[in-house]
Amino acid sequence: MSRDIYAGQYRSPAALAAWTNWSSLALVLTYAVSWTCLILPAVIQFSEPMRNIFVTVDEQSRNLMLVAMAISCASYLWWCRRCIKNLHAFGVQGVKTSPRGAWLWQLAPIANFVMGFRIMKKILLGSRLGVSAIDTTKEPNPRGLGIWWALLLLCVVTISTDYKEDSSGKLVLEGVGLKIFFGNLKSPMQMIVHAMSIVIFMHYIRVATADQINKARHQ
């Protein structure tokens, strides 16, 4: 039924994948810059002008960080919509998610703790050449998918480190705690964990995109 509705509606997800991966890479680079600006002054005694440079660079990197994150999220959600629509166009059975639901579910509070994982699993399984039906409840997860999702969840409820300046102007560890919903962009721990999840995420985007293009060629 879904194949009849979406017949002839295949579109390559390559452009959306490129937007997603390049903006994700930009996000990782801003993390690296910000992390360096936070850590170096904490372990090395710099002059006041040099410390001010680190602060300025950190602030600018955070502005770029938010832009890259917004572009990455928007292009990823549209990539999910396109890939799910393609699975229906391929006639893959068992998808059980509409193109609209592919991105709306990932914006729904609480539900997105699970649905993002399920939708990525459907895309990865259904995009493989020769696959005409999927059952995400019975089929094993693609390699590393659970690790990616666990790292991403650690960014939502993550161990964070907070720093403050002492009387000499040097950054010292103030405390360690839990931050909810990316609540502490100053946390080097959060940046590292999120960067690790992004590297795996970019791999899956490339794999699923290549699989869909290959599957379309053999339809």
Side-chain angles (χ1 to χ4, degrees):
M1 181 66 179
S2 64
R3 183 167 190 172
D4 294 336
I5 296 173
Y6 295 102
Q9 295 193 37
Y10 167 81
R11 297 292 184 277
S12 173
L16 291 170
W19 273 98
T20 303
N21 277 353
W22 279 111
S23 56
S24 296
L25 179 60
L27 182 57
V28 172
L29 293 177
T30 60
Y31 278 169
V33 172
S34 183
W35 188 87
T36 302
C37 291
L38 285 170
I39 296 301
L40 281 185
V43 298
I44 302 175
Q45 188 67 43
F46 289 103
S47 63
E48 188 63 27
M50 181 61 72
R51 291 176 61 81
N52 290 336
I53 291 175
F54 278 116
V55 171
T56 300
V57 173
D58 181 40
E59 290 175 350
Q60 294 302 318
S61 69
R62 289 180 188 282
N63 293 333
L64 294 174
M65 187 187 300
L66 294 175
V67 173
M69 188 177 294
I71 295 174
S72 177
C73 289
S75 55
Y76 165 66
L77 291 175
W78 212 245
W79 177 85
C80 287
R81 176 187 178 276
R82 169 53 55 195
C83 287
I84 289 294
K85 193 170 186 178
N86 286 342
L87 293 185
H88 287 295
F90 293 145
V92 177
Q93 301 298 310
V95 178
K96 298 179 181 178
T97 301
S98 68
R100 181 178 297 176
W103 65 273
L104 283 178
W105 273 115
Q106 298 188 69
L107 297 178
I110 308 302
N112 56 10
F113 278 69
V114 177
M115 292 307 295
F117 177 85
R118 290 183 177 177
I119 289 169
M120 180 62 87
K121 183 176 180 179
K122 290 178 181 181
I123 292 172
L124 289 169
L125 293 177
S127 299
R128 292 172 177 171
L129 185 63
V131 172
S132 59
I134 58 174
D135 186 345
T136 55
T137 62
K138 296 180 180 179
E139 296 183 52
N141 297 329
R143 182 178 299 177
L145 189 65
I147 296 175
W148 164 66
W149 197 245
L151 289 172
L152 197 59
L153 291 181
L154 279 175
C155 296
V156 178
V157 181
T158 188
I159 299 173
S160 64
T161 51
D162 294 308
Y163 294 86
K164 68 176 181 179
E165 290 188 359
D166 61 13
S167 57
S168 65
K170 186 176 181 179
L171 284 176
V172 295
L173 182 64
E174 182 179 29
V176 178
L178 293 178
K179 296 293 181 178
I180 311 298
F181 300 126
F182 294 89
N184 185 15
L185 285 175
K186 290 187 177 181
S187 168
M189 179 71 74
Q190 187 182 41
M191 292 180 190
I192 292 171
V193 172
H194 195 205
M196 291 170 62
S197 73
I198 288 174
V199 171
I200 302 174
F201 165 77
M202 291 171 64
H203 168 71
Y204 288 139
I205 295 291
R206 288 195 301 268
V207 168
T209 299
D211 284 350
Q212 288 215 343
I213 294 173
N214 190 37
K215 197 180 186 79
R217 289 171 179 166
H218 290 81
Q219 287 291 303

